[in-house]
C-alpha cells in the first residue's frame, strides 16, 4: 500500500512543469503569476491530502488547467452580488436597503474618478469643511440651524450622546429602549458614550411628569427614541416632542430625538402611512434630531444630525467625529439624493425607494399575470404555479405594522414536501443573479413589488 501511495505522489506534476502548460500560461496572462502559483500550490496540497486519505488522485487531476480556471473564476466573483429582491421586504437590511437614484450613482462615479472639493474651499483656496455643502442643503430642507453627517445613524446617536451628555444622565422612556438589528441596543450606545441611562415611565405608558421627576443636577439630556421597528398598541401614552422640548427649555436641559428611518417628506401625500419628520420636531423646539440616510430617505448609508447650531458646532469638534465621518462617495451620493427633494413633484419617478413603495397593486398584478404562463409551463412538472395577492412590508425598521398591497407568483410542491420548495429556493439563490423569495404557508412566494423588468427575471431563471 505504501508503495502505491508513493507512486501516486510521484504522479503529481511540479509547479514549474504546470506553469509551462499552454492552458495555464494563458491564465497567467489574465490573472497574474502570483495568484496562479498560489492556487496551484493549494491544489497540490489538496491532491496530497486526497492520496493520504483515499489512496487516489482527485477527480480533477487529469486536467489541472480546467480546474485552475474554475478556481480563478470563483476568486474573481464579487462578494457583493446583485440579486432580485422578491422577498416582500422593500428596504431589506441584508440586501443593502435603499437603491440609489441614477443621479446619486453618477455623483459617486464622478467622486471616484476625479479629485473633488471634499475639504477644499474654491473661494479662499484653503481647507474647507466636508459637511458644509450638505449641511446647507439639509437646513433648507428641514429648517434646521445646522447639520452634521456621519457614517450611520447609530454613529449619529453615539456622537450626540458623547458630545452633549457624557458623564451625565440621559432620561428616556422605558417604552423607547429599542434594539435594532444585530442586537444593537440604545442602552449599550449610552454606555459607550459615557452616559448613564435613567429609565422613566412604564413599557406602555410614559407621562411628562415622569421626565420632570427624573431631572436633577446631573441630568445631561432628555431623549425620545422613535420606535420605528416595533409598535406598542392598546393602553398607551407617550410624551410628545413638543412637550419634551418645552420641558427641556424650562429646565435648561438639551433635548434629542432619534428618528431612525427618518423621512423628510409627508409620506401620506403619496398614499403611504404617516412617518414622523425631523422638521416637525425641530419646529417644536427639539435641539437635535438624528436619522438614517439609507432608509426612507432613499440615499446611501449615513447618519444625519440636524438641530441647533451651538450643539452641531460642539459635535463637529468632538474627537469622535473624525472617526465616524462619512467619506467622499457617501457625501456625493447623499447630496445628489437630497437634491431630488428640491423637486418633490418628480420624486416618485426619480427616487427608487419611493417609486417602489408607491407602485399600484394593479401594475404589479399585470406583471405577475404576464410571467405566469411561462412559469407554469417551465415548472409544471414539480410545482403548481399561481399568481396571488399578497402584502409587502417596508422593512429596515420603518413602519413595522403597515403593509403594502402587492402581487406574487407562488410555487407549491406537487409532492407536498417542504424540502422540494427549499431545494428550489436554494437553486434560485445560486443563479448567476440570485433570486431571493420567501417561504411561507407551504409555498415559495416571489413578491414582484421590487421587480421592474419581468423579462430580466425570466432570463435569470432560465440560466
Amino acid at each position: 500500500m505504501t508503495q502505491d501511495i508513493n507512486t501516486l505522489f510521484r504522479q503529481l506534476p511540479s509547479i514549474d512543469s504546470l506553469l509551462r502548460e499552454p492552458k495555464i500560461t494563458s491564465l497567467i496572462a489574465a490573472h497574474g503569476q502570483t495568484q496562479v502559483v498560489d492556487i496551484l500550490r493549494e491544489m497540490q496540497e489538496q491532491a496530497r491530502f486526497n492520496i493520504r486519505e483515499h489512496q487516489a488522485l482527485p477527480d480533477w487531476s487529469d486536467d489541472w488547467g480546467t480546474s485552475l480556471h474554475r478556481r480563478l473564476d470563483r476568486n474573481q466573483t464579487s462578494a457583493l452580488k446583485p440579486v432580485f429582491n422578491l422577498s416582500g421586504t422593500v428596504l431589506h437590511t441584508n440586501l443593502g436597503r435603499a437603491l440609489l437614484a441614477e443621479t446619486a450613482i453618477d455623483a459617486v462615479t464622478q467622486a471616484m474618478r476625479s479629485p473633488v472639493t471634499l475639504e477644499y474651499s474654491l473661494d479662499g483656496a484653503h481647507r474647507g469643511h466636508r459637511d458644509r455643502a450638505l449641511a446647507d442643503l439639509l437646513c433648507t430642507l428641514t429648517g434646521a440651524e445646522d447639520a452634521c453627517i456621519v457614517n450611520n445613524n447609530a454613529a449619529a446617536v453615539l456622537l450626540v450622546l458623547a458630545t452633549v451628555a457624557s458623564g451625565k444622565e440621559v432620561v428616556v422612556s422605558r417604552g423607547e429602549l429599542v434594539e435594532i438589528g444585530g442586537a444593537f441596543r440604545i442602552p449599550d450606545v449610552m454606555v459607550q458614550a459615557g452616559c448613564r441611562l435613567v429609565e422613566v415611565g412604564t413599557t406602555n405608558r410614559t407621562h411628562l411628569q415622569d421626565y420632570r421627576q427624573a431631572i436633577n443636577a446631573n441630568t445631561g439630556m432628555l431623549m425620545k427614541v422613535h420606535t420605528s421597528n416595533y409598535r406598542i398598541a392598546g393602553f398607551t401614552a407617550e410624551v410628545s416632542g413638543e412637550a419634551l422640548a418645552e420641558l427641556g427649555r424650562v429646565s435648561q436641559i438639551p433635548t434629542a430625538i432619534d428618528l431612525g428611518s427618518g423621512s423628510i417628506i409627508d409620506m401620506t401625500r403619496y398614499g403611504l402611512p404617516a412617518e414622523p419628520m425631523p422638521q416637525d420636531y425641530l419646529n417644536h423646539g427639539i435641539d437635535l434630531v438624528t436619522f438614517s440616510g439609507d432608509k426612507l430617505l432613499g440615499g446611501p448609508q449615513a447618519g444625519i444630525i440636524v438641530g441647533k447650531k451651538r450643539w452641531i458646532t460642539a459635535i463637529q469638534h468632538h474627537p469622535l467625529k473624525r472617526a465616524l465621518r462619512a467619506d467622499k462617495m457617501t457625501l456625493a451620493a447623499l447630496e445628489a439624493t437630497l437634491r431630488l427633494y428640491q423637486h418633490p413633484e418628480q420624486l416618485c419617478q426619480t427616487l427608487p425607494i419611493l417609486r417602489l413603495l408607491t407602485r399600484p397593486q394593479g401594475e404589479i398584478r399585470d406583471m405577475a399575470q404576464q410571467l405566469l404562463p411561462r412559469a407554469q409551463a417551465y415548472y409544471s412538472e414539480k410545482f403548481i404555479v399561481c399568481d396571488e395577492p399578497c402584502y409587502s412590508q417596508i422593512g429596515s425598521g420603518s413602519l413595522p405594522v403597515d403593509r403594502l398591497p402587492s402581487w406574487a407568483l407562488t410555487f407549491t410542491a406537487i409532492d407536498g414536501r417542504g424540502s422540494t420548495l427549499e431545494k428550489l429556493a436554494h437553486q434560485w439563490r445560486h443563479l448567476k443573479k440570485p433570486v431571493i423569495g420567501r417561504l411561507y404557508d407551504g409555498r415559495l412566494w416571489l413578491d414582484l413589488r421590487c421587480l421592474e423588468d419581468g423579462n430580466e427575471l425570466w432570463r435569470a431563471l432560465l440560466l
Side-chain angles (χ1 to χ4, degrees):
M1 180 67 70
T2 301
Q3 185 176 0
D4 292 339
I5 287 178
N6 289 336
T7 301
L8 291 171
F9 277 128
R10 285 194 293 271
Q11 292 179 35
L12 295 178
S14 68
I15 297 294
D16 286 342
S17 65
L18 287 169
L19 292 177
R20 290 192 293 270
E21 290 188 10
K23 188 182 291 187
I24 293 178
T25 300
S26 65
L27 292 174
I28 292 172
H31 299 277
Q33 181 158 324
T34 299
Q35 186 175 193
V36 167
V37 170
D38 287 345
I39 294 177
L40 286 174
R41 284 174 178 157
E42 290 176 7
M43 293 169 66
Q44 276 192 334
E45 188 53 43
Q46 290 172 8
R48 293 188 187 103
F49 177 82
N50 207 79
I51 292 170
R52 287 193 297 268
E53 295 296 316
H54 306 291
Q55 292 78 52
L57 290 165
D59 295 338
W60 45 261
S61 61
D62 59 340
D63 191 349
W64 285 68
T66 299
S67 181
L68 173 64
H69 196 177
R70 291 197 194 100
R71 294 171 191 236
L72 286 166
D73 282 346
R74 283 200 298 270
N75 276 4
Q76 298 304 311
T77 301
S78 172
L80 298 177
K81 299 187 68 172
V83 303
F84 290 97
N85 175 17
L86 308 184
S87 64
T89 301
V90 181
L91 281 168
H92 200 304
T93 296
N94 298 343
L95 299 180
R97 292 185 178 167
L99 302 180
L100 293 186
E102 289 302 317
T103 54
I105 294 168
D106 292 342
V108 172
T109 302
Q110 179 174 297
M112 290 190 292
R113 284 185 171 156
S114 171
V116 294
T117 53
L118 177 64
E119 293 184 355
Y120 185 87
S121 171
L122 294 172
D123 291 333
H126 57 75
R127 182 166 185 165
H129 197 289
R130 66 173 58 200
D131 288 0
R132 190 66 263 152
L134 270 73
D136 292 342
L137 186 52
L138 282 162
C139 290
T140 299
L141 293 170
T142 67
E145 292 180 9
D146 206 352
C148 172
I149 298 95
V150 289
N151 63 346
N152 65 17
N153 190 52
V157 175
L158 175 67
L159 189 53
V160 165
L161 290 168
T163 302
V164 180
S166 181
K168 297 183 178 181
E169 296 178 353
V170 178
V171 185
V172 184
S173 167
R174 282 189 175 89
E176 297 174 359
L177 297 178
V178 304
E179 175 182 313
I180 61 175
F184 195 77
R185 300 176 173 181
I186 284 291
D188 296 336
V189 179
M190 290 196 181
V191 170
Q192 294 303 314
C195 306
R196 188 171 79 81
L197 169 66
V198 176
E199 303 174 26
V200 296
T202 63
T203 302
N204 60 318
R205 291 179 70 81
T206 300
H207 305 280
L208 188 62
Q209 184 66 15
D210 297 318
Y211 278 92
R212 187 178 291 114
Q213 290 175 346
I215 293 174
N216 59 54
N218 198 41
T219 302
M221 180 185 289
L222 305 178
M223 186 175 186
K224 275 184 66 66
V225 180
H226 176 47
T227 55
S228 60
N229 60 355
Y230 69 95
R231 188 166 298 171
I232 300 173
F235 186 57
T236 64
E238 68 172 293
V239 176
S240 70
E242 189 172 9
L244 191 68
E246 177 61 18
L247 178 60
R249 186 188 65 79
V250 170
S251 306
Q252 296 186 324
I253 297 172
T255 53
I257 291 185
D258 171 27
L259 283 185
S261 51
S263 172
I264 63 171
I265 52 171
D266 180 3
M267 303 292 281
T268 62
R269 289 175 52 192
Y270 302 91
L272 296 168
E275 179 77 354
M277 297 184 292
Q279 49 265 50
D280 292 338
Y281 289 109
L282 294 173
N283 289 337
H284 292 155
I286 293 292
D287 292 299
L288 293 165
V289 182
T290 64
F291 55 99
S292 295
D294 60 340
K295 294 183 180 179
L296 291 177
L297 186 70
Q301 177 181 297
I304 300 169
I305 310 169
V306 293
K308 300 288 175 58
K309 189 173 186 63
R310 63 174 289 227
W311 290 119
I312 296 295
T313 299
I315 287 168
Q316 294 285 17
H317 287 94
H318 194 282
L320 272 178
K321 174 54 172 33
R322 185 172 182 86
L324 302 175
R325 67 184 182 179
D327 72 341
K328 64 178 182 179
M329 290 173 285
T330 298
L331 294 173
L334 183 57
E335 180 183 7
T337 302
L338 290 171
R339 293 205 179 280
L340 296 177
Y341 284 86
Q342 295 176 311
H343 195 171
E345 297 82 4
Q346 290 192 347
L347 265 182
C348 280
Q349 290 75 46
T350 57
L351 193 67
I353 182 59
L354 194 59
R355 185 171 69 243
L356 295 176
L357 291 176
T358 57
R359 284 186 75 191
Q361 186 185 36
E363 177 186 310
I364 306 170
R365 180 196 60 217
D366 291 346
M367 176 177 284
Q369 292 175 348
Q370 290 169 11
L371 290 169
L372 181 64
R374 286 184 282 182
Q376 287 175 328
Y378 193 74
Y379 290 98
S380 60
E381 186 177 335
K382 293 184 178 180
F383 301 95
I384 300 170
V385 186
C386 301
D387 71 297
E388 300 184 44
C390 65
Y391 286 93
S392 307
Q393 63 180 2
I394 294 173
S396 286
S398 303
L399 301 165
V401 299
D402 296 289
R403 297 290 184 267
L404 306 173
S406 188
W407 214 271
L409 294 179
T410 64
F411 295 74
T412 306
I414 292 175
D415 62 15
R417 296 178 181 174
S419 59
T420 303
L421 286 176
E422 290 171 0
K423 184 177 179 181
L424 179 62
H426 181 271
Q427 174 187 326
W428 285 348
R429 289 196 303 271
H430 289 81
L431 294 171
K432 186 174 182 180
K433 183 173 181 179
V435 174
I436 311 297
R438 176 170 59 103
L439 285 166
Y440 172 72
D441 195 27
R443 285 169 288 179
L444 179 53
W445 297 71
L446 298 183
D447 184 331
L448 303 182
R449 172 168 290 279
C450 293
L451 180 68
E452 298 187 275
D453 185 345
N455 290 326
E456 185 188 4
L457 171 65
W458 188 247
R459 288 192 295 270
L461 291 175
L462 292 179
L463 292 178

